Amino acid sequence: MDFNMKKLASDAGIFFTRAVQFTEEKFGQAEKTELDAHFENLLARADSTKNWTEKILRQTEVLLQPNPSARVEEFLYEKLDRKVPSRVTNGELLAQYMAEAASELGPTTPYGKTLLKVAEAEKQLGAAERDFIHTASISFLTPLRNFLEGDWKTISKERRLLQNRRLDLDACKARLKKAKAAEAKATTVPDFQETRPRNYILSASASALWNDEVDKAEQELRVAQTEFDRQAEVTRLLLEGISSTHVNHLRCLHEFVKSQTTYYAQCYRHMLDLQKQLGRFPGTFVGTTEPASPPLSSTSPTTAAATMPVVPSVASLAPPGEASLCLEEVAPPASGTRKARVLYDYEAADSSELALLADELITVYSLPGMDPDWLIGERGNKKGKVPVTYLELLS
């Protein structure tokens, strides 16, 4: 117990000395040991890395989970080392509502069938979103969080220790400076009042005491300088490791972009498949006055198709079962044909449609009575229906 009390008193004395030195530095009453410019640059880069890593981490969490309540819940589960329960994504919840609506409104009606198809696509989108969130959390968020909770805490601890070593060093410098000043004053020639032998003896004793105090202060200064240099080197090595952290975060960023690219590619493919399936439903869009606009073209092909000259054709009056036969016999109009660039690959659903390859040029025209979402496309001696949303009309 006696040892603990002595240690407690010693720690209190050191803390008080550091507090005095820190306060005097703030008021400009004490000198402060400055770090070299390279070390200051390392400190500034480390602080900047920490701040931006925190911002990127928080915003990525918002991107992956916009619901703040859900984020708080996941945070609490992680702190309690418990598994985060599986959560239904918004796309999957929308798919569930659409499927229930189709069941109640009639799954055999055109609206019900379309609801079921869209529900299936939304369910696939929700599953793709779930995979993206899982992959991004492991490959991107976890390394950033490990840096903040691991490496940065170590760096902060060593920086605080370096700050304490610097305060001890500057306190030793101030103590040595005061001891030397007192020693110089004690060794000065006494005035006329100090001519008696007793005063000479007292002056000599004081000089000897201050000599011992200077020797002790110099010894403490050497020890403090050694500890400061050692701690500065340890902290410097940790700060230089920030470069390795940047390399690791760069690799994680590439993984995040890769997972995000995969996610959006899956969503794009699911929606294209859905669009093809909806286009095959007979009469699904009959009577619509505002056909859907294409996603990637600045000029709406449907609007352009509506203004194209049309010519009468027997094919438009033919029964659906004979459309493919009559289509081959239809000659293109003398005027009104246009060139179009294919935006995406398209697989023909039947013999009445024309398969398309991205970036190829075809000739298109419209026939009276046709669905405004479709045109007649020709490539060489091949002819068939093509969806307008896959085209960019050129001339």
Side-chain angles (χ1 to χ4, degrees), residues 286-314:
V286 174
T288 57
T289 58
E290 296 182 0
S293 300
L296 299 179
S297 177
S298 59
T299 304
S300 173
T302 55
T303 304
T307 59
M308 291 175 56
V310 295
V311 295
S313 172
V314 180

Side-chain angles (χ1 to χ4, degrees), residues 6-79:
K6 289 182 178 179
K7 185 176 183 301
L8 180 62
S10 176
D11 292 343
I14 293 175
F15 176 79
F16 178 76
T17 302
R18 291 171 179 171
V20 171
Q21 177 65 27
F22 181 80
T23 304
E24 291 180 349
E25 288 176 359
K26 289 298 182 181
F27 286 98
Q29 300 175 358
E31 296 181 358
K32 176 181 178 181
T33 300
E34 300 292 342
L35 302 172
D36 59 86
H38 177 63
F39 201 98
E40 293 289 351
N41 291 334
L42 291 177
L43 290 174
R45 188 176 68 154
D47 289 334
S48 180
T49 300
K50 180 255 185 182
N51 293 334
W52 285 112
T53 300
E54 285 182 335
K55 293 181 180 180
I56 293 173
L57 175 64
R58 287 197 297 265
Q59 191 57 39
T60 306
E61 290 175 343
V62 172
L63 173 68
L64 299 180
Q65 178 52 265
N67 189 345
S69 301
R71 292 199 303 271
V72 172
E73 181 182 353
E74 293 174 358
F75 175 78
L76 293 177
Y77 273 104
E78 291 177 359
K79 290 302 180 182

Side-chain angles (χ1 to χ4, degrees), residues 182-184 186-188 201-214:
E183 181 189 24
T187 56
T188 55
I201 294 174
L202 293 176
S203 179
S205 298
S207 178
L209 289 174
W210 283 116
N211 283 335
D212 294 341
E213 186 67 23
V214 169

Side-chain angles (χ1 to χ4, degrees), residues 212-226:
D212 294 341
E213 186 67 23
V214 169
D215 292 340
K216 181 180 178 181
E218 289 178 346
Q219 177 63 24
E220 291 177 352
L221 178 61
R222 284 192 292 270
V223 173
Q225 185 69 55
T226 301

Side-chain angles (χ1 to χ4, degrees), residues 23 33 67 76 78 89 108 122 130 136 140-141 187 194 219 229 257 275 326 339 349 359:
T23 304
T33 300
N67 189 345
L76 293 177
E78 291 177 359
T89 62
T108 59
E122 292 295 337
R130 184 191 303 276
F140 189 62
L141 292 184
T187 56
E194 297 178 344
Q219 177 63 24
D229 293 340
V257 172
Q275 191 177 41
C326 297
K339 291 291 184 180
D359 296 327

Side-chain angles (χ1 to χ4, degrees), residues 249-322:
H249 288 183
L250 175 62
R251 179 185 58 81
C252 297
L253 185 60
H254 280 281
E255 293 294 331
F256 176 71
V257 172
K258 180 180 178 182
S259 62
Q260 198 170 27
T261 303
T262 302
Y263 166 61
Y264 285 118
Q266 290 176 343
C267 294
Y268 175 71
R269 185 170 61 252
H270 292 325
M271 296 310 296
L272 278 183
D273 293 341
L274 174 63
Q275 191 177 41
K276 292 180 184 179
Q277 295 175 13
L278 295 183
R280 296 167 190 167
F281 281 5
T284 302
F285 300 105
V286 174
T288 57
T289 58
E290 296 182 0
S293 300
L296 299 179
S297 177
S298 59
T299 304
S300 173
T302 55
T303 304
T307 59
M308 291 175 56
V310 295
V311 295
S313 172
V314 180
S316 61
L317 304 177
E322 301 176 5

